[in-house]
Amino acid sequence: MSDPAALLRAYDHQLRDEAETPSAVAVERLGPLRLATFRGGRGFITYSTLDEDGRPATQESVLALVDGALAHYTASPDIHRVEWKTRGHDHAPGLHEALVGHGFVPDEPESVMVGEAALLAVDVELPAGVVVRQVTDEDDVRAMCAMQAEVFGDTPEFAAEILLQVLHRLRTRDDMEMWVAEADGTIVSAGRLEPVAGSEFAGIWGGATLPEWRGKGIYRALTAARARSALRHGKRYINSDSTEFSRPILERSGLVKVSTTTPYEWRRDT
């Protein structure tokens, strides 16, 4: 299936709301919103729709949801950062204005990519000396996260927060895989695979490659390894929120851009 509308329906039906917060330590509902809290003092807001009780969302109802969601998090002094995840195809009148007016700052939009896992599960020739493997040892996971933080330009505080969440997830659950590409023992590319329970999907996340190793097929090989693993898990589809580095690679493999997603972030004043 490569019809964008059908893929988007599958994405909306199977991957929105509850499926997005498997690592949350607490979740509350506010109307259609899912308000999740993660380790490290991070809040995360998502939803499958902003409509309520069969009534289409309006500027007034959206503003009220933003008011209520931010009040929920500001009431907890342990929360220092909140992300509101938007999608470009949602009916969300006045959402951008409401978020910005409450101190949320939009990040760069990413492409929501969806397609058959089998399209990615191909043989890719690697440069000499480069190997792709799944890692489970904590030292390997720490090295992987450090490389990703370097590529993404994360602050030390944010990198430590992500590492805390990843290690907790690996210690307490078995529904996430960490994959790396190594050159002579040094991690040069990395990414996660997250099969989504109760769905046909597995997500590929956190794809990062050191600049000097790009353009050599390493990311494609890492993606192919994760796609093969997804198929072993019985998953039909792959989804990814992709930057402009990875989107063209996934498109050439047959995945389809079905929407966009833009994170808006609020930070507590210090």
Side-chain angles (χ1 to χ4, degrees):
M1 182 174 68
S2 59
D3 173 39
L7 290 170
L8 180 59
R9 286 193 296 271
Y11 170 87
D12 278 338
H13 180 66
Q14 300 185 45
L15 293 182
R16 303 285 296 266
D17 201 272
E18 183 177 356
E20 298 177 86
T21 59
S23 300
V25 297
V27 174
E28 293 194 22
R29 304 294 314 202
L30 176 65
L33 302 183
R34 184 175 183 84
L35 310 180
T37 299
F38 292 86
R39 290 177 178 273
R42 181 171 73 95
F44 179 78
I45 302 165
T46 188
Y47 43 88
S48 57
T49 178
L50 290 175
D51 301 341
E52 295 187 74
D53 301 322
R55 298 188 301 273
T58 64
Q59 289 188 9
E60 292 76 16
S61 68
V62 168
L63 179 59
L65 289 173
V66 175
D67 281 337
L70 190 55
H72 167 77
Y73 287 112
T74 55
S76 175
D78 294 333
I79 299 295
H80 62 84
R81 183 169 69 89
V82 179
E83 177 186 335
W84 185 302
K85 185 178 178 69
T86 72
R87 273 83 168 190
H89 67 285
D90 282 345
H91 173 67
L95 180 59
H96 169 79
E97 292 78 10
L99 290 172
V100 172
H102 283 73
F104 285 83
V105 177
D107 203 342
E108 291 296 319
E110 295 185 339
S111 298
V112 177
M113 306 297 295
V114 179
E116 299 270 356
L119 295 173
L120 299 175
V122 297
D123 293 329
V124 179
E125 184 177 356
L126 284 164
V130 176
V131 296
V132 171
R133 66 184 180 96
Q134 183 182 352
V135 296
T136 57
D137 181 81
E138 184 168 317
D139 287 342
D140 287 335
V141 173
R142 287 179 179 275
M144 170 182 168
C145 289
M147 188 280 294
Q148 291 171 312
E150 176 187 344
V151 171
F152 295 138
D154 295 336
T155 65
E157 295 79 11
F158 183 67
E161 179 184 317
I162 294 298
L163 178 62
L164 179 68
Q165 293 175 15
V166 166
L167 291 177
H168 177 74
R169 176 94 172 264
L170 290 172
R171 290 165 181 162
T172 58
R173 304 170 66 103
D174 62 356
D175 57 353
M176 180 172 68
E177 297 177 359
M178 312 293 276
W179 288 82
V180 301
E182 292 178 320
D184 298 322
T186 298
I187 296 175
V188 299
S189 185
R192 308 189 309 275
L193 176 75
E194 298 194 27
V196 180
S199 81
E200 299 174 279
F201 284 85
I204 54 174
W205 303 102
T209 304
L210 293 175
E212 63 270 27
W213 288 92
R214 293 173 188 164
K216 302 177 186 295
I218 297 174
Y219 176 79
R220 286 193 299 118
L222 190 70
T223 300
R226 289 181 288 171
R228 286 191 288 269
S229 183
L231 291 169
R232 291 193 293 270
H233 283 283
K235 302 303 182 182
R236 178 179 178 183
Y237 299 117
I238 291 290
N239 68 287
S240 175
D241 294 349
S242 298
T243 67
E244 286 307 291
F245 288 112
S246 57
R247 177 195 56 77
I249 299 172
L250 297 178
E251 280 186 332
R252 287 194 294 269
S253 298
L255 268 63
V256 177
K257 178 179 177 178
V258 299
S259 187
T260 59
T261 180
T262 302
Y264 285 69
E265 186 173 279
W266 171 89
R267 288 184 176 272
R268 189 183 296 274
D269 292 334
T270 56

